[in-house]
PDB file of all heavy atoms in Angstrom:
ATOM      1  N   VAL A 255     182.509  95.047 131.083  1.00  0.00           N
ATOM      2  CA  VAL A 255     181.413  96.016 131.101  1.00  0.00           C
ATOM      3  C   VAL A 255     181.773  97.176 132.012  1.00  0.00           C
ATOM      4  O   VAL A 255     182.121  96.984 133.179  1.00  0.00           O
ATOM      5  CB  VAL A 255     180.099  95.345 131.560  1.00  0.00           C
ATOM      6  CG1 VAL A 255     178.957  96.361 131.592  1.00  0.00           C
ATOM      7  CG2 VAL A 255     179.748  94.173 130.636  1.00  0.00           C
ATOM      8  N   GLU A 256     181.678  98.378 131.476  1.00  0.00           N
ATOM      9  CA  GLU A 256     182.035  99.571 132.238  1.00  0.00           C
ATOM     10  C   GLU A 256     181.113  99.758 133.445  1.00  0.00           C
ATOM     11  O   GLU A 256     179.982  99.293 133.463  1.00  0.00           O
ATOM     12  CB  GLU A 256     181.954 100.813 131.338  1.00  0.00           C
ATOM     13  CG  GLU A 256     182.988 100.841 130.224  1.00  0.00           C
ATOM     14  CD  GLU A 256     182.843 102.073 129.349  1.00  0.00           C
ATOM     15  OE1 GLU A 256     181.874 102.835 129.538  1.00  0.00           O
ATOM     16  OE2 GLU A 256     183.704 102.266 128.468  1.00  0.00           O
ATOM     17  N   GLY A 257     181.645 100.473 134.441  1.00  0.00           N
ATOM     18  CA  GLY A 257     180.842 100.813 135.611  1.00  0.00           C
ATOM     19  C   GLY A 257     181.227  99.998 136.823  1.00  0.00           C
ATOM     20  O   GLY A 257     181.977  99.022 136.744  1.00  0.00           O
ATOM     21  N   GLN A 258     180.712 100.412 137.962  1.00  0.00           N
ATOM     22  CA  GLN A 258     180.958  99.747 139.238  1.00  0.00           C
ATOM     23  C   GLN A 258     179.634  99.385 139.882  1.00  0.00           C
ATOM     24  O   GLN A 258     178.587  99.938 139.562  1.00  0.00           O
ATOM     25  CB  GLN A 258     181.752 100.675 140.172  1.00  0.00           C
ATOM     26  CG  GLN A 258     183.081 101.145 139.605  1.00  0.00           C
ATOM     27  CD  GLN A 258     184.085 100.027 139.493  1.00  0.00           C
ATOM     28  OE1 GLN A 258     184.129  99.133 140.329  1.00  0.00           O
ATOM     29  NE2 GLN A 258     184.932 100.075 138.467  1.00  0.00           N
ATOM     30  N   GLY A 259     179.681  98.438 140.808  1.00  0.00           N
ATOM     31  CA  GLY A 259     178.482  98.077 141.542  1.00  0.00           C
ATOM     32  C   GLY A 259     177.522  97.238 140.706  1.00  0.00           C
ATOM     33  O   GLY A 259     177.830  96.805 139.596  1.00  0.00           O
ATOM     34  N   LEU A 260     176.338  97.041 141.252  1.00  0.00           N
ATOM     35  CA  LEU A 260     175.344  96.201 140.591  1.00  0.00           C
ATOM     36  C   LEU A 260     174.782  96.923 139.365  1.00  0.00           C
ATOM     37  O   LEU A 260     174.270  98.034 139.472  1.00  0.00           O
ATOM     38  CB  LEU A 260     174.219  95.874 141.569  1.00  0.00           C
ATOM     39  CG  LEU A 260     173.186  94.850 141.113  1.00  0.00           C
ATOM     40  CD1 LEU A 260     173.812  93.474 140.950  1.00  0.00           C
ATOM     41  CD2 LEU A 260     172.036  94.783 142.112  1.00  0.00           C
ATOM     42  N   ARG A 261     174.899  96.260 138.195  1.00  0.00           N
ATOM     43  CA  ARG A 261     174.467  96.879 136.948  1.00  0.00           C
ATOM     44  C   ARG A 261     174.180  95.777 135.927  1.00  0.00           C
ATOM     45  O   ARG A 261     174.679  94.653 136.065  1.00  0.00           O
ATOM     46  CB  ARG A 261     175.561  97.818 136.410  1.00  0.00           C
ATOM     47  CG  ARG A 261     176.822  97.065 135.984  1.00  0.00           C
ATOM     48  CD  ARG A 261     178.081  97.880 136.203  1.00  0.00           C
ATOM     49  NE  ARG A 261     179.263  97.209 135.630  1.00  0.00           N
ATOM     50  CZ  ARG A 261     179.866  96.176 136.195  1.00  0.00           C
ATOM     51  NH1 ARG A 261     179.410  95.646 137.324  1.00  0.00           N
ATOM     52  NH2 ARG A 261     180.934  95.632 135.610  1.00  0.00           N
ATOM     53  N   PRO A 262     173.390  96.078 134.886  1.00  0.00           N
ATOM     54  CA  PRO A 262     173.133  95.064 133.860  1.00  0.00           C
ATOM     55  C   PRO A 262     174.369  94.849 132.998  1.00  0.00           C
ATOM     56  O   PRO A 262     175.029  95.799 132.582  1.00  0.00           O
ATOM     57  CB  PRO A 262     171.983  95.669 133.046  1.00  0.00           C
ATOM     58  CG  PRO A 262     172.091  97.143 133.267  1.00  0.00           C
ATOM     59  CD  PRO A 262     172.643  97.323 134.649  1.00  0.00           C
ATOM     60  N   VAL A 263     174.694  93.568 132.730  1.00  0.00           N
ATOM     61  CA  VAL A 263     175.870  93.259 131.918  1.00  0.00           C
ATOM     62  C   VAL A 263     175.520  92.524 130.630  1.00  0.00           C
ATOM     63  O   VAL A 263     176.319  92.516 129.695  1.00  0.00           O
ATOM     64  CB  VAL A 263     176.917  92.451 132.713  1.00  0.00           C
ATOM     65  CG1 VAL A 263     177.518  93.304 133.823  1.00  0.00           C
ATOM     66  CG2 VAL A 263     176.328  91.158 133.262  1.00  0.00           C
ATOM     67  N   CYS A 264     174.345  91.893 130.570  1.00  0.00           N
ATOM     68  CA  CYS A 264     173.935  91.262 129.317  1.00  0.00           C
ATOM     69  C   CYS A 264     172.461  90.921 129.360  1.00  0.00           C
ATOM     70  O   CYS A 264     171.829  90.913 130.432  1.00  0.00           O
ATOM     71  CB  CYS A 264     174.764  90.017 128.995  1.00  0.00           C
ATOM     72  SG  CYS A 264     174.359  88.568 129.984  1.00  0.00           S
ATOM     73  N   ARG A 265     171.941  90.632 128.166  1.00  0.00           N
ATOM     74  CA  ARG A 265     170.523  90.275 128.027  1.00  0.00           C
ATOM     75  C   ARG A 265     170.414  89.180 126.978  1.00  0.00           C
ATOM     76  O   ARG A 265     171.059  89.234 125.928  1.00  0.00           O
ATOM     77  CB  ARG A 265     169.727  91.505 127.600  1.00  0.00           C
ATOM     78  CG  ARG A 265     168.214  91.328 127.521  1.00  0.00           C
ATOM     79  CD  ARG A 265     167.592  92.689 127.233  1.00  0.00           C
ATOM     80  NE  ARG A 265     166.148  92.630 127.130  1.00  0.00           N
ATOM     81  CZ  ARG A 265     165.492  92.374 125.999  1.00  0.00           C
ATOM     82  NH1 ARG A 265     166.164  92.161 124.869  1.00  0.00           N
ATOM     83  NH2 ARG A 265     164.168  92.338 125.982  1.00  0.00           N
ATOM     84  N   LEU A 266     169.615  88.173 127.278  1.00  0.00           N
ATOM     85  CA  LEU A 266     169.345  87.076 126.353  1.00  0.00           C
ATOM     86  C   LEU A 266     167.833  87.009 126.166  1.00  0.00           C
ATOM     87  O   LEU A 266     167.084  87.062 127.144  1.00  0.00           O
ATOM     88  CB  LEU A 266     169.866  85.760 126.938  1.00  0.00           C
ATOM     89  CG  LEU A 266     169.917  84.536 126.017  1.00  0.00           C
ATOM     90  CD1 LEU A 266     170.942  84.735 124.898  1.00  0.00           C
ATOM     91  CD2 LEU A 266     170.249  83.277 126.825  1.00  0.00           C
ATOM     92  N   ALA A 267     167.393  86.902 124.914  1.00  0.00           N
ATOM     93  CA  ALA A 267     165.958  86.912 124.622  1.00  0.00           C
ATOM     94  C   ALA A 267     165.622  85.803 123.643  1.00  0.00           C
ATOM     95  O   ALA A 267     166.372  85.532 122.694  1.00  0.00           O
ATOM     96  CB  ALA A 267     165.531  88.264 124.053  1.00  0.00           C
ATOM     97  N   CYS A 268     164.480  85.163 123.880  1.00  0.00           N
ATOM     98  CA  CYS A 268     163.993  84.091 123.007  1.00  0.00           C
ATOM     99  C   CYS A 268     162.768  84.594 122.246  1.00  0.00           C
ATOM    100  O   CYS A 268     161.684  84.714 122.824  1.00  0.00           O
ATOM    101  CB  CYS A 268     163.635  82.861 123.829  1.00  0.00           C
ATOM    102  SG  CYS A 268     162.936  81.512 122.856  1.00  0.00           S
ATOM    103  N   PRO A 269     162.909  84.909 120.954  1.00  0.00           N
ATOM    104  CA  PRO A 269     161.765  85.402 120.180  1.00  0.00           C
ATOM    105  C   PRO A 269     160.624  84.388 120.097  1.00  0.00           C
ATOM    106  O   PRO A 269     159.467  84.768 119.924  1.00  0.00           O
ATOM    107  CB  PRO A 269     162.363  85.660 118.788  1.00  0.00           C
ATOM    108  CG  PRO A 269     163.837  85.823 119.018  1.00  0.00           C
ATOM    109  CD  PRO A 269     164.153  84.911 120.159  1.00  0.00           C
ATOM    110  N   GLU A 270     160.948  83.118 120.254  1.00  0.00           N
ATOM    111  CA  GLU A 270     159.953  82.053 120.116  1.00  0.00           C
ATOM    112  C   GLU A 270     158.827  82.163 121.143  1.00  0.00           C
ATOM    113  O   GLU A 270     157.654  81.957 120.831  1.00  0.00           O
ATOM    114  CB  GLU A 270     160.651  80.698 120.243  1.00  0.00           C
ATOM    115  CG  GLU A 270     159.749  79.495 120.071  1.00  0.00           C
ATOM    116  CD  GLU A 270     160.516  78.198 120.197  1.00  0.00           C
ATOM    117  OE1 GLU A 270     161.731  78.178 119.889  1.00  0.00           O
ATOM    118  OE2 GLU A 270     159.903  77.192 120.602  1.00  0.00           O
TER     119      GLU A 270
END
Side-chain angles (χ1 to χ4, degrees):
V255 179
E256 293 179 354
Q258 302 291 325
L260 188 66
R261 66 212 187 284
V263 293
C264 75
R265 185 174 180 272
L266 191 66
C268 177
E270 182 179 332

